[in-house]
Amino acid sequence: MYKVSVFSFVLVLILSGCASQMQQADNEARIKQLNTPVDVKVSVPFDEAQAKAAMELGNSTLRGVLYHKVSFNGRYVNDSPLSLKSANYLSNVDVILYPVTAHLLELMHLENENLGRLGFLSTDKQLKRFIPDDRMYKYAIKTKTDEHGRYFFNQLKPGRYLILAADQDIISTGTEAVRDGTSVVSDGLYTASVAHYKNQDFRVRTTVRYDEYVDIKPEQKEVILESRMRIRRF
């Protein structure tokens, strides 16, 4: 009886371990599935007539300068609005102007909701890739920043627009002290553990983004923007 009981106990442990491994594998598969984007079309219809009318030639100019103030202190990043760091102007970056439509507003709303999903693995919500109507891009205007981060759009009508800049990866490198073991020292009476450190190079990548809605009023002939790219928050 004793041998049978021991065998049964070991068998239960083995089966429990197998079940635990299977459950872990199932959870990992579920997480992988949820974090693999699925394509979803934007449901709000695109009003092509509205977009076409909004992009007719006008007499206003929109000017901006694209920059960031991301500053690194070791591995830590500070992008506070109160930062006194000098601006880093971004050259040769794509800047796109869209006329604002209900279709575009819905796309931006969905993307902003989805943005938080990109920073961690979720076990309860599916990551999505939202697909807008292709005609939306037909009425967009693209330009590039110059060597000083400046860009402009001419001949715009009064109305509401969305300005987007391509996300940028800001790279920082440096050296930090990392722990490299311990040793024991003694003076014959007392002993103590002493930590040893060594210098190690590091490389940090931080993504910054910029988008802003701009309203051009009928009396405005020129609108000037300070287009500050900020750290993408998750």
Side-chain angles (χ1 to χ4, degrees), residues 30-32 34-35 117 120-126:
R30 174 176 170 77
I31 290 173
K32 182 177 180 180
L34 289 174
N35 288 279
R117 288 282 292 100
F120 57 91
L121 295 181
S122 173
T123 59
D124 59 1
K125 191 174 182 181
Q126 178 67 51

Side-chain angles (χ1 to χ4, degrees), residues 52-223:
K52 182 177 181 180
M55 297 307 290
E56 291 175 353
L57 297 181
N59 299 315
S60 297
T61 297
L62 190 154
R63 301 179 184 276
V65 57
L66 190 68
Y67 69 98
H68 73 85
K69 285 190 175 182
V70 175
S71 59
F72 294 87
N73 178 19
R75 288 183 176 273
Y76 299 97
V77 181
N78 175 26
D79 192 33
S80 165
L82 299 178
S83 172
L84 299 178
K85 299 293 183 180
S86 59
N88 296 282
Y89 299 104
L90 296 164
S91 63
N92 201 38
V93 174
D94 287 334
V95 181
I96 307 172
L97 178 145
Y98 292 93
V100 172
T101 61
H103 184 81
L104 177 64
L105 289 173
E106 178 65 9
L107 172 63
M108 293 298 293
H109 170 71
L110 294 172
E111 289 289 5
N112 286 333
E113 281 192 343
N114 204 44
L115 184 61
R117 288 282 292 100
L118 301 177
F120 57 91
L121 295 181
S122 173
T123 59
D124 59 1
K125 191 174 182 181
Q126 178 67 51
L127 182 62
K128 299 175 183 178
R129 181 188 297 110
F130 295 101
I131 310 299
D133 191 309
D134 286 340
R135 293 174 297 172
M136 187 184 78
Y137 302 111
K138 178 181 176 181
Y139 298 97
I141 306 174
K142 182 193 294 187
T143 188
K144 282 185 179 292
T145 58
D146 66 11
E147 64 272 22
H148 302 293
R150 297 173 300 194
Y151 66 90
F152 63 88
F153 298 98
N154 289 326
Q155 297 183 304
L156 298 177
K157 288 178 57 178
R160 196 176 195 207
Y161 302 91
L162 173 66
I163 310 295
L164 286 171
D167 286 1
Q168 301 295 303
D169 286 337
I170 309 302
I171 305 298
S172 172
T173 58
T175 303
E176 65 182 350
V178 297
R179 192 159 180 166
D180 187 32
T182 58
S183 61
V184 178
V185 296
S186 174
D187 62 358
L189 182 61
Y190 300 101
T191 60
S193 295
V194 177
H196 299 281
Y197 293 85
K198 65 178 181 179
N199 290 331
Q200 179 173 291
D201 294 335
F202 66 85
R203 186 172 186 268
V204 178
R205 183 182 69 178
T206 302
T207 301
V208 292
R209 64 178 320 204
Y210 171 73
D211 59 78
E212 183 174 357
Y213 291 101
V214 181
D215 292 298
I216 300 179
K217 298 178 174 59
E219 68 275 11
Q220 290 180 303
K221 298 304 179 184
E222 183 176 67
V223 175

